[in-house]
Structure formats: structure tokens, C-alpha cells
């Protein structure tokens, strides 16, 4: 039996998360438009810098609570990387859907709004209610899709 589209693309986001080098949370993202994958991303340090496991991001090795201390984090979030990869390769994503393994933070939510993504499908929660409020106020359609075996 073929999976519904949201499940299909959410599974891809979970697969992208397996590439993450973050020591705290593995997150993956996939940007889709017209049922075509345009870009993927996972949380990692910027190109050319040591990854988290190699000491690239001090926040990852710290005890800072989830949702705090982002100003000291060197990692790019999965959503940011997916958006940046599309831009790097000249791929237009406005009007698309972002599938993400977790609800985005406020910084990512603002980027999602400004690049013109119209729909966000996420699996897990993230402790940032303001991010969700920004997405809702901007008219981004939100859907939570959890896949039982992931």
C-alpha cells in the first residue's frame, strides 16, 4: 500500500535527520512543491567548520536547556539548511511545503514566512510557542503528522 503524501515526505525528513551531527537533537527537513522534492536539510555546523561531535559547537556539549542559548549555537537548523540549499542552487521554493521532524523555532519560523512557504508539516513538538504564533499569524498552514513507527 502506498503511503499518503504527507507520510511519504515526512519519512524523507526523518531520513534527512539521520545525517545530522548535532549532539542534542537530530532534525531533518524537506521542501516540496507540486509533490516534487526541491531541497533537504539537517542540523549541522556551517560548511568547512568542525561538526558538533568534533567540538564545532560548544552549546551542543553544554547543559543549556532546549530552546535557549541559540545565540551561542554554531549550528544551522535543518529548516535553515533546506532554505539555504535551495538558494545556493537557485531553486524557487515560494509557495511550497516544508516537512520537518520538529516544530521550528522562532528564527526558522521567520525565515519560513519570508521565503514564502505556505504550508508546514511537522512531527515533534518544540518549546517555542511564539514561533507557532508567528506562523499562524502569517497564514502558514500548520499540520502535525506523526508516523507511529518512526
Amino acid at each position: 500500500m502506498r503511503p499518503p503524501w504527507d507520510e511519504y515526505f515526512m519519512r524523507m525528513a526523518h531520513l534527512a535527520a539521520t545525517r545530522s551531527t548535532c549532539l542534542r537533537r537530530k532534525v531533518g527537513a524537506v521542501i516540496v512543491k507540486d509533490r516534487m522534492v526541491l531541497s533537504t536539510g539537517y542540523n549541522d555546523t556551517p560548511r568547512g567548520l568542525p561538526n558538533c561531535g568534533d567540538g564545532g559547537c560548544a552549546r551542543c556539549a553544554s547543559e543549556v536547556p532546549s530552546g535557549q542559548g541559540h545565540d551561542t549555537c554554531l549550528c544551522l537548523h535543518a529548516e535553515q539548511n533546506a532554505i539555504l540549499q535551495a538558494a545556493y542552487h537557485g531553486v524557487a521554493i515560494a509557495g511550497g511545503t516544508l516537512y520537518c521532524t520538529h516544530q521550528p523555532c522562532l528564527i526558522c519560523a521567520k525565515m519560513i514566512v519570508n521565503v514564502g512557504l505556505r504550508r508546514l508539516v511537522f512531527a515533534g513538538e518544540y518549546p517555542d510557542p511564539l514561533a507557532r504564533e508567528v506562523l499562524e499569524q502569517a497564514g502558514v498552514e500548520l499540520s502535525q503528522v506523526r508516523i507511529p513507527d518512526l
Side-chain angles (χ1 to χ4, degrees), residues 8 15-16 74 78:
Y8 176 71
L15 181 60
L74 293 182

Side-chain angles (χ1 to χ4, degrees), residues 99-114:
Y99 290 84
C100 194
T101 58
H102 294 76
Q103 176 200 305
C105 70
L106 179 59
I107 293 167
C108 291
K110 293 186 288 185
M111 290 178 71
I112 289 165
V113 169
N114 267 15

Side-chain angles (χ1 to χ4, degrees), residues 33 38 86 90-94:
K33 189 172 182 181
L38 301 178
V91 177
I93 59 174

Side-chain angles (χ1 to χ4, degrees), residues 32 48 63 67 71 74 95 110 131 134 141 147 149:
V32 174
E63 298 296 321
D71 56 334
L74 293 182
K110 293 186 288 185
V134 164
E141 179 188 337
I147 301 172
D149 59 343

Side-chain angles (χ1 to χ4, degrees), residues 5-7 10 97-104 118-125 132 135-136 139-147:
W5 287 111
D6 282 348
E7 180 181 333
M10 186 58 72
T97 298
L98 185 135
Y99 290 84
C100 194
T101 58
H102 294 76
Q103 176 200 305
R118 291 283 137 235
R119 186 167 180 247
L120 168 67
V121 181
F122 63 96
E125 299 288 336
R132 192 170 184 141
L135 291 163
E136 289 170 348
V140 175
E141 179 188 337
L142 302 176
S143 299
Q144 189 168 19
V145 173
R146 294 182 191 193
I147 301 172

